[in-house]
Amino acid sequence: MPKICKVTDKLGRTFEYNEGLEGVIATSSEICFIDGEKGKLLYRGIPIEQLAEHSTFEETSFFLLYGHLPSRDELEAYESRLKSYRPITGEILEFARKLGSLAKPMHLLRTIVSAAGVFDPDADNNSIERNAARAEELIALFPTIVAALQRLQQGKEPIAPNPDLGHAANFLYMLNGEQPNDYAARVFDICLILHAEHGFNASTFTARAVISTLTDMYSAVTAAIGSLKGPLHGGANEGVMHLLNEIGEIERTEEVVLEKLRTKTKIMGFGHRVYKALDPRAKILMQFSEKLAQLTGNEKYYNISKKVEEIMAREVGAKGIYPNVDFFSASVYHYLGIDTSLFTPIFAVSRVSGWTAHVLEQLHNNRLLRPRAVYLGEFDRSYIPMSER
Ligand code: SDX
């Protein structure tokens, strides 16, 4: 249930509001349906489980942007456009080189995407056609930018995109120059599907609020990256990996988790503003974590994750606190050989499809998003000259 805040202003008037806008409807949308009580998630009416089993990130991102599953020709043309948009241009690459070692990946991604808007002379052209093309360009560019930044931070040259590889496989290839095996590429492709869209989460709401002023898409996506970076949102998956490493050995799990709960420290990867049942994405990721643990022979991270889940179910399950999408994605990405610092940028690599789909939907029937706040400050104060202060 929403936490209702009841306040009285200095004129004696009483107001109530939902803390954190919990449960508040800001607009309507046709992109995503979430049943938090039953743990159900639909992208434009299709259950996430069916998309994870049958679709690809390319097909799912097309579906999110345009609202229908593409024909074979539409998908081939879309995939070809994405491949053509992958390479980062000279200016952006030079900008990335300058910034490369200065900050953490999410700060850099936010800055580079903002710079992409500077290098686009047509950035303020908000036509449907231009914004649809821009959405595709950003979906194609994010993996190249994230991989290039990672290589530069390692003191290595960025690896050019491989047009023979699909979206997911190409990202893994650009990280280390090696083509991933088919299973790893497919698991990562499904991770991208699972993270693509999730209704009015904080970063998507941010994107919609920004674009509702009729500014440009780069501004909306840059703001969304900043929101996703936060540890209460997309930044949680890195926090999960730090937790698993802090626990270190399964025997320490109970002690570490109970101490955190005792000190009211949030366990990263658990809880959700909407889900009060198991996040359906966590269920799928848990299965991949188990399989990858067996394939790699390094079952520690999966076993510790399951132990944390067991303890949290016992201690706080009754409060509707379950693993969310971030909890098992941490061990899956680790098993795929991905550096922890890339976990949240990878969330952005996927969610840029949901953000841009929502930006297009907001522009289709826009009204400025501008809520209110109850004023609890003073009334009837007068200016006091400095000499009298
Ligand atoms: C994502 O919105 C989306 O759709 C987001 C997302 C997406 O796809 O876009 O699903 C992705 O961001 C998932 C969430 C990732 N964040 C984390 O894993 C960080 C840890 N989780 C918590 O910070 C928290 O659960 C939130 C922020 C996710 C939701 O918080 P709410 O709805 O504001 O709930 P709350 O903080 O008011 O907590 C309610 C109660 C509190 O206990 P009481 O004070 O009532 O006794 O539940 C407790 C909290 O202490 N609680 C937790 C907890 N999460 C909530 N206790 C321990 N560990 C946690 N993780």
Side-chain angles (χ1 to χ4, degrees):
M1 287 299 288
K3 291 186 176 180
I4 306 297
C5 208
K6 197 168 184 177
V7 293
T8 303
D9 72 5
K10 293 199 171 14
L11 299 181
R13 299 174 303 178
T14 301
F15 301 87
E16 289 188 359
Y17 60 88
N18 294 17
E19 267 189 4
L21 294 179
E22 183 167 3
V24 171
I25 294 172
T27 185
S28 58
S29 173
E30 297 180 0
I31 299 175
C32 178
F33 173 74
I34 302 169
D35 182 331
E37 297 305 321
K38 296 188 182 126
K40 292 199 176 306
L41 171 59
L42 310 178
Y43 288 177
R44 292 194 183 273
I46 298 183
I48 191 66
E49 295 82 0
Q50 291 184 28
L51 290 167
E53 185 178 353
H54 302 298
S55 189
T56 64
F57 176 72
E58 289 91 328
E59 183 181 64
T60 295
S61 58
F62 180 102
F63 181 50
L64 289 170
L65 287 179
Y66 301 113
H68 68 276
L69 288 172
S71 66
R72 189 178 303 282
D73 288 349
E74 283 178 316
L75 183 57
E76 284 174 7
Y78 176 64
E79 288 171 341
S80 171
R81 290 197 301 274
L82 291 183
K83 287 180 177 180
S84 71
Y85 296 145
R86 283 176 180 172
I88 46 180
T89 60
E91 303 105 329
I92 294 179
L93 187 53
E94 282 324 300
F95 198 65
R97 284 184 195 285
K98 286 192 178 67
L99 295 176
S101 55
L102 289 181
K104 293 180 182 174
M106 281 300 277
H107 292 270
L108 293 170
L109 178 61
R110 184 193 65 217
T111 306
I112 298 282
V113 171
S114 180
V118 170
F119 298 128
D120 176 354
D122 203 23
D124 290 323
N125 175 347
N126 255 337
S127 67
I128 293 172
E129 297 73 23
R130 190 68 202 96
N131 268 326
R134 197 169 282 137
E136 295 184 5
E137 289 160 9
L138 288 170
I139 289 168
L141 270 175
F142 266 49
T144 314
I145 293 171
V146 169
L149 288 169
Q150 175 71 352
R151 299 280 296 178
L152 289 167
Q153 292 221 314
Q154 294 167 340
K156 299 172 183 170
E157 271 303 296
I159 294 170
N162 181 338
D164 298 331
L165 298 176
H167 200 80
N170 176 56
F171 175 73
L172 297 176
Y173 163 76
M174 290 190 292
L175 287 181
N176 54 31
E178 293 161 19
Q179 288 196 28
N181 65 58
D182 291 347
Y183 183 72
R186 180 57 184 151
V187 169
F188 188 64
D189 189 28
I190 292 170
C191 289
L192 293 178
I193 292 170
L194 296 175
H195 284 82
E197 160 61 16
H198 211 244
F200 261 51
N201 57 85
S203 55
T204 298
F205 177 63
T206 299
R208 287 192 74 141
V210 170
I211 202 69
S212 78
T213 71
L214 298 184
T215 185
D216 64 290
M217 183 181 275
Y218 297 100
S219 297
V221 172
T222 300
I225 294 169
S227 170
L228 184 75
K229 181 170 79 68
L232 295 189
H233 189 12
N237 53 18
E238 292 188 27
V240 172
M241 203 65 218
H242 297 319
L243 170 69
L244 299 180
N245 284 322
E246 180 187 348
I247 292 170
E249 299 302 330
I250 195 159
E251 295 75 18
R252 293 192 67 244
T253 311
E254 185 97 13
E255 166 202 347
V256 172
V257 172
L258 292 184
E259 176 60 11
K260 287 184 185 296
L261 290 176
R262 191 183 65 77
T263 54
K264 294 294 252 183
T265 306
K266 295 281 176 59
I267 306 292
M268 293 292 109
F270 278 83
H272 199 277
R273 176 60 61 80
V274 179
Y275 288 122
K276 302 312 170 193
L278 180 60
D279 183 330
R281 302 167 296 176
K283 196 170 172 184
I284 297 169
L285 288 163
M286 178 174 61
Q287 292 159 0
F288 283 127
S289 179
E290 181 178 24
K291 179 89 167 133
L292 287 166
Q294 291 159 2
L295 288 174
T296 58
N298 173 9
E299 306 206 24
K300 181 173 82 166
Y301 285 109
Y302 171 73
N303 291 340
I304 293 174
S305 298
K306 287 298 286 179
K307 187 68 178 169
V308 174
E309 183 190 22
E310 176 195 309
I311 295 163
M312 288 294 279
R314 183 188 73 214
E315 298 294 323
V316 293
K319 290 166 77 172
I321 299 169
Y322 291 87
N324 58 50
V325 68
D326 291 298
F327 187 63
F328 287 101
S329 62
S331 49
V332 168
Y333 291 157
H334 174 78
Y335 287 133
L336 291 176
I338 295 170
D339 189 89
T340 302
S341 65
L342 286 181
F343 287 10
T344 308
I346 284 170
F347 200 145
V349 161
S350 170
R351 187 55 58 89
V352 62
S353 58
W355 292 333
T356 50
H358 278 271
V359 163
L360 295 176
E361 185 180 62
Q362 182 70 32
L363 286 171
H364 183 69
N365 181 21
N366 183 51
R367 184 147 194 267
L368 181 70
L369 287 169
R370 199 276 186 215
R372 285 182 51 214
V374 177
Y375 175 66
L376 297 183
E378 299 291 333
F379 289 93
D380 305 325
R381 292 172 74 173
S382 300
Y383 183 79
I384 302 168
M386 185 59 79
S387 58
E388 296 172 24
R389 289 181 200 166

